[in-house]
Amino acid sequence: MAALVSQLDTQAAAAPEKQVARPDADQWGEYVDRLIEVLGSLDWAGWSVPDEYDSDWDAETGPMLFATLWRTGAAMEIEYYPRESRLRFLPYDDVCGDFPESFSVLDGEVEVTVTLRGDEAVTAVHRRVGALGLLDATRVRVVEGADPEAAEAFEAESLLSLFGPAASYREIPVADIVKEAVQHPDLSTYLQWVVGRAGRNVHPDPVPDAAALGIAAWCWRNETAVEAHHLPSDVLMARVNIAVTRAVLPHVCPYEGIDWDGIERSLTDTSWKLPDGRTVSSLFGDGWPAVQSSVREQIRKWQRLDSELLGPDTTLRLMTIGGSTDHTCHWWGQGRWRAICEEIVHDAVEAGFTLPQPYGC
């Protein structure tokens, strides 16, 4: 019996593996649709998720789809192996190819399990790319000691990314748009302080969630009466900031731009409530009319800049920078928020602190 088992094992080992059949057109279409679905959060965050992919097939690993994803000069490669339920994110290294000015957002390979069906894979990809910062604006700078011409070229490329869409919107040269913008009384300070200093290393990506934070920061928290009527505690202020961001998010779209009218209605509504039922207006008490009026003024100022000077794309990019500064980059609403909270919880547990339950949801 032992000899027979050994013989069968030997025959099984020597037998050729069953080859994977080449997919038909419908199956390829199913793979593409699934890939587009699991990359949805990246698409929303401004990455150029295609609806067509290069493909390959191997008798052992089966089908593969691959592409380069782009966003404002940044790039990364993806490879999807449906049979093996694997989605790989890889560094972009074609620096000598057609786009030498582009740079990679990844230093190494990242892999996520992606089954052909189900919501779990969509959530897993969302969380993983969020933790990597790929759903937030890219932060990038020229290395110290670089050729001055390289630094100037990178700055010029960034400026073109920021104001090029406005030039197309207005149908005038980029230089004319930049001149108007830096001299505009309602925009010059923002460009000098937020873009030029606080957000200096923030690449001008069009990221709706970050733009919502920019609106929360610069149409609610700053340049309004909110700070003059500061609430009793920083915790309560943070809760209101979160409520503001939640109210703004539905009105920011990467395809249609910012719905300023909808934001104004949301942030000046006297009946607008926190999750615990308290109205925001009641928290500010006698200061609410001043808050309401000044917030409305800020929103309408940006609405005018959007429609008359910048256009929807450049406005979205400017607000993205405003929501990605050192001051705002850790606010609720960033793609890295869950990863930030998990790290804080991990450090607290490691330090022996007792945390309220449940904290792992």
Side-chain angles (χ1 to χ4, degrees):
M1 180 62 73
L4 177 59
V5 171
S6 176
Q7 182 181 0
L8 291 174
D9 287 342
T10 302
Q11 291 175 347
E17 292 186 12
K18 184 178 180 181
Q19 291 190 343
V20 180
R22 187 185 296 271
D24 60 25
D26 289 340
Q27 288 174 314
W28 280 116
E30 185 180 8
Y31 299 151
V32 169
D33 290 344
R34 180 55 167 170
L35 187 52
I36 292 173
E37 181 182 22
V38 298
L39 295 177
S41 58
L42 285 163
D43 179 66
W44 185 259
W47 289 93
S48 59
V49 175
D51 54 13
E52 295 183 358
Y53 293 82
D54 292 323
S55 61
D56 200 357
W57 177 85
D58 182 90
E60 294 183 3
T61 60
M64 179 183 76
L65 299 173
F66 55 96
T68 303
L69 303 189
W70 303 89
R71 187 178 71 176
T72 320
M76 61 180 166
E77 310 284 357
I78 61 164
E79 296 177 354
Y80 177 41
Y81 300 85
R83 178 175 177 267
E84 300 179 343
S85 300
R86 291 194 301 137
L87 175 62
R88 301 173 69 206
F89 297 88
L90 304 164
Y92 172 78
D93 58 5
D94 190 21
V95 294
C96 296
D98 296 333
F99 305 98
E101 73 280 2
S102 299
F103 54 90
S104 178
V105 292
L106 294 175
D107 296 324
E109 175 186 337
V110 177
E111 186 170 306
V112 185
T113 299
V114 172
T115 54
L116 195 55
R117 293 174 181 79
D119 294 333
E120 288 186 6
V122 177
T123 301
V125 171
H126 176 83
R127 289 179 176 175
R128 191 67 181 276
V129 297
L132 291 169
L134 298 175
L135 303 183
D136 303 331
T138 306
R139 305 181 76 87
V140 61
R141 61 182 176 81
V142 178
V143 297
E144 294 182 11
D147 189 318
E149 292 184 357
E152 291 176 4
F154 181 76
E155 185 174 350
E157 187 68 28
S158 298
L159 202 64
L160 181 62
S161 297
L162 180 58
F163 287 104
S168 298
Y169 175 76
R170 296 274 304 282
E171 298 183 339
I172 61 176
V174 174
D176 292 352
I177 282 287
V178 173
K179 184 178 180 180
E180 280 189 52
V182 298
Q183 294 179 350
H184 198 288
D186 289 335
L187 191 57
S188 57
T189 301
Y190 185 91
L191 292 175
Q192 181 180 8
W193 171 247
V194 180
V195 178
R197 295 184 184 180
R200 184 172 184 175
N201 295 328
V202 180
H203 216 40
D205 302 322
V207 186
D209 292 358
L213 282 170
I215 295 168
W218 300 100
C219 292
W220 173 270
R221 190 65 187 265
N222 300 298
E223 307 297 328
T224 69
V226 168
E227 204 59 39
H229 298 277
H230 198 289
L231 299 177
S233 71
D234 288 339
V235 172
L236 187 55
M237 284 294 282
R239 292 188 69 183
V240 172
N241 285 344
I242 292 173
V244 169
T245 309
R246 286 185 182 275
V248 170
L249 277 170
H251 304 291
V252 184
C253 175
Y255 317 114
E256 299 181 7
I258 300 170
D259 175 13
W260 294 105
D261 289 333
I263 292 172
E264 180 181 331
R265 287 193 297 270
S266 297
L267 300 189
T268 60
D269 183 0
T270 303
S271 63
W272 168 36
K273 296 179 181 180
L274 294 180
D276 63 11
R278 288 180 293 176
T279 60
V280 175
S281 59
S282 68
L283 296 176
F284 285 97
D286 293 340
W288 174 247
V291 168
Q292 191 180 41
S293 175
S294 59
V295 167
R296 181 179 289 115
E297 181 180 347
Q298 278 296 105
I299 292 171
R300 292 183 179 180
K301 179 189 79 173
W302 277 101
Q303 186 174 30
R304 290 193 298 272
L305 289 171
D306 185 334
S307 62
E308 298 173 7
L309 175 64
L310 302 170
D313 197 314
T314 293
T315 303
L316 187 65
R317 293 170 188 262
L318 283 172
M319 280 301 174
T320 295
I321 296 174
S324 307
T325 66
D326 291 339
H327 176 59
T328 56
C329 69
H330 296 129
W331 282 13
W332 180 91
Q334 294 281 24
R336 293 179 298 114
W337 176 259
R338 181 183 177 88
I340 291 171
C341 292
E342 287 177 346
E343 188 67 24
I344 292 171
V345 169
H346 176 268
D347 290 347
V349 172
E350 287 289 308
F353 290 99
T354 301
L355 300 178
Q357 297 287 341
Y359 60 80
C361 297

